[in-house]
Amino acid sequence: MMNFQGEHILSVSQFDRESVSRILQVAQSMIPYAARQKRCNVLEGAILNNLFFEPSTRTRISFGTAFQLLGGFVHETVGQESSSLSKGESLYDTAKVISGYSDVIAMRHPAMGSVAEFSQGSSVPVINGGDGANEHPTQALLDLFTIQAEMERYGKGIDGLNIVLMGDLKHGRTVHSLSKLLSLYKDITVTMLAPKELQMPDSVVDVLANAGHKVTITDTMAGNLASDVVYQTRIQQERFSSKEEADMYRGHFSLNKTVYEQYCKDHTVIMHPLPRDSRPEANELDTDLNDNTNLAIFRQAQNGVLVRMALFALTLGVDEKLTQYEKPVTWFTNK
Ligand code: NCD
């Protein structure tokens, strides 16, 4: 198992199965704090710098919330235009400076490999919050945590999972990281459902195939959705050369009540990293599924706080000290 203390979290390729289990286990132990049954101030005085050079709601806010739930301070920089990167400063120099102001850094950036490049100059752990179309390791971990929790309700685990990844698999970093993480488990069946032009990169398919898992590549929904989990993704418009090009692929694989009833199993769990594009023309994951109890998307987003709390505790070496720093909650809460 990896020793997390002081490590950067840049790619899911860093993990073996045991390390992933440890992260999920620490995430589980964060539930009472996130649910406001108890407080934990084990990171009191510690400073997180959240550097988000690409739009984000969940990832940025849940990183911040996770750190604050453990008692730490959060500083935020949002948008390249408000930092000296826009004056030509290198990622390396920026890291040299900001790591001097921080105990840990979370970063999102539009360029592939940028967070790894930044980490070279950092004296503190850097956690990748998404580097272009490359990877999104914390999302994959929260997706895995969610799969584990949802499958548990049906007496299943992650081994033996049958999952459909659907939508923009070419540009979607969440499905790249999740596929690689799933390859560590046993007997996984993955259906890659996408328009031919937006299919999963071979390099990712190979990781699953080389680990002996069953991968089906298809562009047809009929007959291919009877799985444990359907994981829908958004067309990553910002990674296309134009809106017109992205528009060509919208609505091809809309998951709605009719499709669910026709092709999914009774218990197929619906996941999506969010944001779902709710504009009518997007036609992606329909709101007519909102009352379906297997729609796990908001539980999934909530789990992001737990997993990010776990990564902070592990990289800052306090994962064994949580109970020592507990306090009661003094305010009204109905969580
Ligand atoms: C995803 C991302 O940024 O890659 N969002 C997220 O972090 N939950 C997915 C997306 O933007 O479509």
Side-chain angles (χ1 to χ4, degrees), residues 33-318:
Y33 312 129
R36 295 310 216 185
Q37 288 153 10
K38 296 175 201 166
R39 296 166 66 193
C40 177
N41 67 350
V42 69
L43 291 182
E44 191 177 333
I47 298 172
L48 163 70
N49 259 291
N50 237 353
L51 308 178
F52 275 70
F53 301 122
E54 215 188 30
S56 173
T57 301
R58 271 148 293 273
T59 307
R60 177 174 58 82
I61 297 176
S62 70
F63 263 122
T65 301
F67 206 72
Q68 285 169 329
L69 281 166
L70 292 173
F73 295 114
V74 182
H75 288 181
E76 270 189 4
T77 305
V78 174
Q80 297 203 44
E81 64 290 345
S82 61
S83 92
S84 286
L85 288 170
S86 65
K87 298 181 187 169
E89 187 169 44
S90 69
L91 288 166
Y92 181 88
D93 285 5
T94 308
K96 276 275 176 209
V97 175
I98 296 182
S99 62
Y101 306 157
S102 326
D103 294 292
V104 59
I105 294 171
M107 178 173 171
R108 170 173 287 189
H109 191 282
M112 291 169 88
S114 53
V115 182
E117 188 184 330
F118 177 92
S119 73
Q120 310 265 311
S122 175
S123 56
V124 301
V126 175
I127 306 184
N128 184 359
D131 60 324
N134 186 34
E135 276 224 35
H136 196 343
T138 63
Q139 178 73 39
L141 289 164
L142 78 87
D143 290 342
L144 206 64
F145 184 94
T146 305
I147 292 169
Q148 192 174 52
E150 299 292 322
M151 288 301 110
E152 213 171 84
R153 289 169 37 202
Y154 301 116
K156 293 186 178 182
I158 303 172
D159 289 325
L161 184 80
N162 184 335
I163 185 169
V164 179
L165 304 177
M166 165 166 167
D168 185 354
L169 306 184
K170 180 180 177 192
H171 304 105
R173 54 193 170 200
T174 73
V175 284
H176 300 167
S177 292
L178 180 57
S179 299
K180 292 183 199 167
L181 216 44
L182 283 171
S183 74
L184 300 175
Y185 288 78
K186 291 200 189 97
D187 192 21
I188 306 289
T189 303
V190 188
T191 303
M192 309 284 190
L193 176 53
K196 284 192 181 58
E197 299 79 1
L198 302 185
Q199 259 300 349
M200 189 63 93
D202 289 343
S203 58
V204 180
V205 172
D206 288 350
V207 174
L208 280 161
N210 293 341
H213 302 295
K214 183 163 179 261
V215 184
T216 305
I217 311 265
T218 179
D219 59 1
T220 324
M221 284 204 296
N224 283 317
L225 294 183
S227 57
D228 298 316
V229 176
V230 172
Y231 187 108
Q232 173 73 292
T233 63
R234 178 179 67 86
I235 299 289
Q236 308 281 295
Q237 187 181 307
E238 64 277 32
R239 317 232 185 272
F240 287 79
S241 50
S242 68
K243 179 177 180 299
E244 288 64 40
E245 198 199 339
D247 282 344
M248 282 165 42
Y249 302 104
R250 279 186 218 283
H252 284 211
F253 300 117
S254 170
L255 186 58
N256 56 31
K257 203 165 174 227
T258 312
V259 170
Y260 188 89
E261 283 166 3
Q262 196 173 359
Y263 299 125
C264 292
K265 292 199 289 194
D266 285 350
H267 294 311
T268 299
V269 170
I270 306 163
M271 294 175 62
H272 190 304
L274 301 180
R276 63 173 151 173
D277 190 338
S278 293
R279 290 169 288 196
E281 68 274 19
N283 212 7
E284 183 186 291
L285 173 57
D286 207 298
T287 48
D288 69 0
L289 285 162
N290 279 5
D291 294 334
N292 186 316
T293 52
N294 288 307
L295 184 76
I297 57 175
F298 299 117
R299 297 192 284 276
Q300 188 182 352
Q302 214 54 47
N303 292 336
V305 173
L306 304 175
V307 164
R308 292 179 175 116
M309 288 172 86
L311 288 171
F312 288 133
L314 286 159
T315 54
L316 296 177
V318 296

